[in-house]
Amino acid sequence: MTSMHYGAARISRHGGFAGALTAAACAALLAGCSLFGKADKHPPNELKPFTQTLSIKQAWSASVGKSGPYSLQPVAVGDKVYTSSNGGNVLALDGATGRTVWQAKTDVDLTSGPGSDGTVTAVAGEKGAVFAFDGSGKQLWKKQVNGEVLSAPLVGNGLVVVRTTDTRVMGLDAQTGERRWIYQRSQTPLNLRAAMGMVFAGDGIVMGFPGGKLGVLAPSNGVLRWESTISYPKGVSEIERLNDVTGLPMVNGRQVCATTFQGRIACLELANGQPQWGKEFSSPTGPTQDDTSLFAGDERSVLYAFDRSNGTERWRNDQLLNRRLGVPLALGRSVVVGDFEGYVHFLSREDGQFLARVKADGSAITAAPVVSGQTMVVQSRDGDIYGFRPE
């Protein structure tokens, strides 16, 4: 394998043109800047004052350690929040108080955030090392999957589901780490080297794939039940044709929705992948949802709301243009999103107007906020964790 470096981007070749873009390249795309190291022609908008109509109180703070070159997504299960650092720290925090419930340390640097069902918590590290911990933080097992893992493991139904950047998905026994099944698909010429989420939905595992594909695997044996195309590659160069599902698929009842980079936002029938609607859109971070709308930021950090029944645009807000927004969260009457300077923005779900803004710290917030009870929790790239409560 050889690598070529162009400014912020790294394209790794595996024989032919197979390769991947680093998380840094994704950040460059988020910023609207050149992949090839030229000056940024799209500086971030300056924040403007507004009348705050939603009161946000900081309830607590904690620290887990820096994320390094990765976007390490925390996860909330019940009354606990699980988080990790590139340096190998894994924490379980009480969501109401921020108190450390348990802490573990791995013997390699970590490349993924944690996955947990509240009983088993799993993380992935360098060279495909996967670790699982029990409810007290004791290590249950360590398993090598021989591939880079950037996506948080999916834990539940007695499984730890792990996906590697070379398009393999493995179902591991949650208690022993023994491999139960493996799903392998052919590599695309080029794909984003970034986390791609997975979610249990009914008796299936919903996940996006490179090349604009969305599919469902059977948890019992890893068989692909259906696969549907959200968007098709366009353009001439390999970078122009980059077209991956981004973020976490959003499941609501019988519907699943997702976004792609340089592609579309779309909703499909969960049972069989039959398309319901789709429209041109490009998101590096993925969507969030409530019962009636999908919310997503595009590659220039313009936030949109779409009617989830037919894709009609409900509103857009371009006041955070080029601020490298992270993954959004629909919470109460707000859509919440962090930016590259550590600000957390609260926008109205109804019309996209600003409701509130708080400052976490000076480092980027790229992971989605999570909710534990009455507390919203954010994690910065520097590893600072904050619990906020709307009042």
Side-chain angles (χ1 to χ4, degrees):
M1 180 183 73
T2 60
S3 295
M4 298 180 293
H5 295 258
Y6 299 100
R10 189 186 75 201
I11 302 176
S12 301
R13 297 192 182 278
H14 303 262
F17 286 97
L21 285 179
T22 64
C26 190
L29 291 165
L30 261 166
C33 64
S34 169
L35 283 172
F36 301 100
K38 296 180 181 178
D40 187 357
K41 297 180 180 179
H42 305 288
N45 271 14
E46 293 186 6
L47 298 179
K48 297 180 180 179
F50 63 94
T51 301
Q52 186 156 312
T53 58
L54 179 65
S55 178
I56 308 295
K57 177 184 177 182
Q58 182 179 318
W60 52 263
S61 64
S63 180
V64 65
K66 293 185 177 183
S67 297
Y70 307 99
S71 182
L72 302 185
Q73 174 69 52
V75 62
V77 182
D79 60 356
K80 296 182 180 63
V81 176
Y82 302 87
T83 184
S84 62
S85 75
N86 178 228
N89 294 321
V90 185
L91 294 183
L93 303 174
D94 183 282
T97 66
R99 176 181 62 87
T100 299
V101 178
W102 58 257
Q103 180 172 358
K105 178 77 171 178
T106 62
D107 58 3
V108 300
D109 289 344
L110 296 180
T111 58
S112 86
S116 183
D117 63 358
T119 301
V120 174
T121 300
V123 292
E126 290 183 343
K127 299 181 180 180
V130 181
F131 302 83
F133 305 91
D134 67 13
S136 66
K138 178 183 177 182
Q139 184 173 312
L140 291 171
W141 48 264
K142 176 182 177 181
K143 176 81 173 181
Q144 295 291 146
V145 296
N146 297 321
E148 184 179 45
V149 180
L150 300 179
S151 304
L154 179 64
V155 182
N157 298 323
L159 291 173
V160 172
V161 183
V162 178
R163 63 184 302 168
T164 61
T165 56
D166 62 1
T167 70
R168 289 176 298 137
V169 183
M170 284 156 279
L172 309 179
D173 186 281
Q175 292 299 318
T176 66
E178 180 182 357
R179 194 177 80 188
R180 292 188 183 176
W181 51 260
I182 183 169
Y183 171 73
Q184 174 84 57
R185 60 189 293 121
S186 58
Q187 294 191 44
T188 55
L190 197 69
N191 62 281
L192 286 173
R193 185 171 168 263
M196 300 177 71
M198 305 175 283
V199 60
F200 287 114
D203 61 348
I205 303 170
V206 184
M207 64 184 69
F209 298 110
K213 308 286 187 180
L214 191 73
V216 172
L217 300 184
S220 59
N221 55 16
V223 170
L224 182 67
R225 288 183 173 162
W226 62 255
E227 180 181 283
S228 186
T229 301
I230 293 179
S231 60
Y232 293 92
K234 295 178 293 185
V236 177
S237 73
E238 293 295 344
I239 290 178
E240 289 174 332
R241 294 176 62 80
L242 194 62
N243 176 46
D244 292 359
V245 173
T246 53
L248 190 69
M250 294 286 111
V251 176
N252 189 312
R254 300 177 181 178
Q255 185 186 60
V256 57
C257 304
T259 58
T260 63
F261 180 69
Q262 299 185 144
R264 303 171 85 209
I265 184 168
C267 290
L268 305 87
E269 293 281 349
L270 178 61
N272 55 21
Q274 183 69 27
Q276 295 178 343
W277 61 264
K279 61 194 311 177
E280 295 296 307
F281 195 71
S282 176
S283 175
T285 56
T288 185
Q289 68 176 354
D290 62 17
D291 286 339
T292 61
S293 299
L294 279 177
F295 308 94
D298 71 10
E299 61 198 43
R300 295 289 301 278
S301 294
V302 179
L303 283 170
Y304 290 78
F306 300 98
D307 188 309
R308 63 178 307 132
S309 65
N310 57 24
T312 300
E313 183 182 313
R314 291 185 162 177
W315 55 258
R316 72 174 71 181
N317 184 316
D318 63 1
Q319 297 180 59
L320 299 173
L321 192 69
N322 300 321
R323 292 192 64 85
R324 306 173 218 170
L325 299 182
V327 184
L329 169 73
L331 173 65
R333 62 189 179 102
S334 305
V335 178
V336 188
V337 66
D339 73 14
F340 78 112
E341 288 185 316
Y343 286 96
V344 183
H345 308 274
F346 296 75
L347 289 77
S348 168
R349 292 193 314 183
E350 296 302 317
D351 58 15
Q353 298 302 305
F354 288 106
L355 301 177
R357 178 182 298 143
V358 294
K359 186 68 160 33
D361 67 9
S363 65
I365 296 173
T366 56
V370 297
V371 178
S372 177
Q374 302 300 311
T375 307
M376 183 197 76
V377 180
V378 298
Q379 179 177 339
S380 75
R381 295 296 291 268
D382 279 350
D384 295 313
I385 307 166
Y386 298 86
F388 294 105
R389 294 197 186 106
E391 295 185 335

